[in-house]
Amino acid sequence: MNFHEMDTREVEETLNANRHDGMTEEDAQKRLKQFGYNELEEGEKQSALLLFFSQFKDFMTLVLLAATLISGLLGEYIDAIAIIAIVLINGLLGFFQERKAEKSLSALKELSAPQVIALRDGEWKKISSKEVVVGDLLKFISGDRIGADVRIMESNNLEIEESALTGESLPVSKTASPIKTENPGIGDMENMAFMGTMVTRGNGVGIVVGTGMKTAMGQIADLLQSAESMTTPLQRRLEQLGKILIVVALLLTVLVVAIGVLQGQELYTMFLAGVSLAVAAIPEGLPAIVTVALSLGVQRMIKQKAIVRKLPAVETLGCASVICSDKTGTLTQNKMTVTHIWSGGSEWTIDGVGYAPKGHFYKRENRIEPKNDKALQQMLIFGMLCNNAEIKQKKDEIIIDGDPTEGALLVAGMKAGYDRTHLLNQYEIINEFPFDSTRKMMSIIVKDHTGRRFIVTKGAPDILANISDTILWNGKRQIVSKESTAHIQGAIEDLASQALRTIAIGYKEISASTVILDEKEAEKNLTFIGLQGMIDPPRSEVRSAVKECKAAGIKTVMITGDHVITAKAIAKQLGILTKSSKVMDGKTLSGMDMEELEAHVEEVSVFARVSPEHKLKIVKALQNRGHIVAMTGDGINDAPAIKAADIGIAMGITGTDVAKEASSLILLDDNFATIKSAIKEGRNIYENIRKFVRYLLASNVGEILVMLFAMIMALPLPLVPIQILWVNLVTDGLPAMALGLDRPEEDVMKRKPRNPKEGIFSRGLGWKVVSRGFLIGIVTLLAFIFAYDGDPEKLAYAQTVAFATLVLAQLIHVFDCRSEKSVFARNPFGNKYLVGAVISSLLLMLVVIYWEPLQPIFHTIPIVPRDWLMIVGLSAVPTFLLGFTYLARKTK
Ligand code: ATP
């Protein structure tokens, strides 16, 4: 259908759509069922069966299976079946771990899926872009990504960048008028907007004409299967480490086998023991456990309202040394209320709470009737006209749909008894130049009922004052003088120093014939009318979050478009600006080259009156000084800085699609305190990964060493293959998973940020792995030697004792792994998953030792309490020996 040729009414009729009420939810659901979701088809996913089989493709597992097959053929049925069962259970475990990891990753994707604003049942609602159907009316503003192919019905200086489709990076102006060109290309269809393209300016409304694969983007969807990096640097490092460990484990195994054979062991027995040892010693489950720990951590972050879009950010979070945060909405509540108005030397105050349009006006503390004062009247009416927000009642609450700054202006006007809908009967808005945070202004052209035309501008007062050549003073226009400029300046500073956000309003009359093409022409030679000052209270939780960050070695920097004095006042309240830190404004920043900025950037904790473009410069300067920078943003112009930052953070509520796409973390509640929680969680996840890497590797070192030492000493095998495999499955697997769920140590936010370059074994981890592993190996061997006592009759008994000692030593050691310091540093029962895992591993060990049917399978023999005394004593040594040395050092 050639929608671009039709006029808007025809489009509506053809699609059976209703421009005023939009689609009913019921119809939308029907169309959704009939035509499917508005999604681009993705590549094939790995099937469950394939995923299951892929668990066994590991080389050593294949060798083990082959060896088992041989032993089965040789008549060792029980061993063969038991080994195969264990390998299968191991495979299943791996399968579920990977499944879980995969599921939580796709749940993550779903959470950060794009949303659109659609007209449903007469109301503009935020819906998932997946649910958009043909005939839906969509509203979009600068920074949005278009959710489907739409025919434009309204355009307010709408410009769209379509490079994803056309390759042309310059934005195209869009209109609502029909196009009669024959066979226009995508780039020529100026009344159409296409899925995936980006609004760079203005706003508009469009009606959906194509969804999913039936869009222009759908036709080239195959080309767009872009894969986000979903592995983290640590995962990649662990993968490399895994490869090294395979080689080391194999070499050691070969050594064990060779020495064993030389010492007169049977080749076949040694072969099976060797392969089992290799399977046990290779931490093949590590990557899956890491993924699970990461994704469970990510889910904990979601509960705290932070969505990780790119998994590597989880790790980088723990390294952050500076957080650059927007002020409005992130550090403050973004709940604005106008409390002061200034015009021509007079000042009024307004009372009332929140967005409720109830309040009174006062002049020098005397209540007045606002409609009797012309200047005040003009301030309020213009503030309501140059405005795109709406006040809505939602259940018992009054909410603002749109920019809260504009909402506050509406509420102020309503308190004086004005109504925007009524005003729009008297004033017709002919054109609008939308707000952007670089200009810091917004303007409209209006025609009043007598036909006179005005440009009305509202924006940052210092900027408005600069483009005004007259000022309204006692109802008369006067040329701006030094004196009046000083008055304006004084008023701005007075309001700002009370932490108020200030908006100035100005206007000029133009003739009907004057053509104003762009904002540059509109926003000059204005008459300055006055200021409105609004409070935006700081979020209550921010002050303590800033303090906590400071203790964690993380500096908080406020970056705001707001006035220097307002920013300063709020930064002081929040503890961001201290005696030792400085404020820098956008002008000073612009005047500095990179070198100069780098020299000063670390002293500054407030950047005020800056433009989004400045943010990139700040990120770069901080990074050049060696910082790991987290940077927040919401607008389209923030995207480059968000992308360049080590952790780009977008706002979930106020953020544009473009900012969200550039980010690696989204704050669902736009709250600074959430960044702190995410950093804490990021640090915790990393520490948890270190914990189970340490546990698994120390266990493996212990297992290999006990075998190696026994062979060197010409002893028989201290553990039989099935016991080794069992230890690998039960004793290693479960507690390691539980360590991944551990809570952070108390001082996790009192440590300095981690150096991103540090290796996994740094901060003593390598030493801990080797020393604990060595001791675990030694005590197991000792237990074996004592029990064996050189008597071949006692072999099975001694193997059982060794098996119990190894298991117990590991299960005690796991509590040591919870802390960087020692087993005594934390309450050992603080992690209920771990306690559960340890108890179940212990019970399973007892079952294997004491349940008769399992004894022939696991080659175990029931042991007596006296044995347990030795086992418990020996297995406590590795953990407590080093724990006591810690205590001794501490008491010194
Ligand atoms: P942040 O602190 O999150 O960077 P901000 O709200 O302080 O954001 P901007 O949104 O860039 O920064 O606003 C800068 C200035 O522009 C404000 O101090 C205000 O004077 C003015 N301003 C803000 N919103 C509007 C608007 N909708 N129309 C006109 N002027 C506005």
Side-chain angles (χ1 to χ4, degrees), residues 325-330 334 336 386 403 405-406 409 435-442 457-463 501-504 558-563 609-612 615 634 638:
S325 171
D326 284 336
K327 171 178 72 67
T328 311
T330 313
N334 208 5
M336 317 257 180
C386 189
D403 181 351
T405 305
E406 296 185 351
L409 300 178
F435 173 76
D436 77 56
S437 19
T438 304
R439 260 166 56 240
K440 300 185 173 51
M441 286 186 284
M442 161 182 175
T457 302
K458 73 175 201 307
D462 32 337
I463 294 172
R501 178 179 179 79
T502 47
I503 294 277
M558 174 194 277
I559 302 188
T560 177
D562 219 334
H563 196 278
R609 270 291 185 257
V610 293
S611 301
K615 285 184 169 178
D634 48 14
D638 290 336

Side-chain angles (χ1 to χ4, degrees), residues 494-646:
D494 179 39
L495 295 185
S497 60
Q498 299 171 52
L500 298 179
R501 178 179 179 79
T502 47
I503 294 277
I505 293 179
Y507 80 107
K508 74 175 165 197
E509 188 168 353
I510 52 171
S511 69
S513 57
T514 315
V515 186
I516 303 275
L517 285 178
D518 60 19
E519 57 264 22
K520 267 204 197 105
E521 251 173 87
E523 290 161 353
K524 61 181 189 194
N525 311 115
L526 299 183
T527 300
F528 193 94
I529 314 178
L531 306 168
Q532 301 208 25
M534 47 190 87
I535 48 164
D536 176 15
R539 287 177 180 268
S540 54
E541 58 279 42
V542 169
R543 204 184 147 83
S544 63
V546 169
K547 206 169 154 191
E548 218 177 306
C549 285
K550 198 171 175 189
I554 306 163
K555 181 179 167 187
T556 307
V557 175
M558 174 194 277
I559 302 188
T560 177
D562 219 334
H563 196 278
V564 175
I565 300 176
T566 311
K568 238 179 171 170
I570 293 182
K572 265 191 199 151
Q573 286 176 15
L574 293 173
I576 292 175
L577 187 64
T578 55
K579 279 191 194 109
S580 57
S581 60
K582 290 190 180 150
V583 181
M584 188 183 280
D585 66 10
K587 232 192 219 152
T588 318
L589 181 60
S590 294
M592 285 183 167
D593 60 19
M594 206 45 168
E595 238 167 68
E596 271 175 285
L597 182 60
E598 272 173 40
H600 292 100
V601 72
E602 285 173 308
E603 305 155 5
V604 180
S605 55
V606 176
F607 290 93
R609 270 291 185 257
V610 293
S611 301
E613 294 74 14
H614 289 133
K615 285 184 169 178
L616 186 61
K617 205 167 160 185
I618 299 172
V619 169
K620 289 263 157 75
L622 283 166
Q623 284 175 333
N624 290 350
R625 299 288 307 171
H627 286 285
I628 302 294
V629 186
M631 166 70 87
T632 71
D634 48 14
I636 180 169
N637 301 334
D638 290 336
I642 294 182
K643 227 178 210 156
D646 301 278

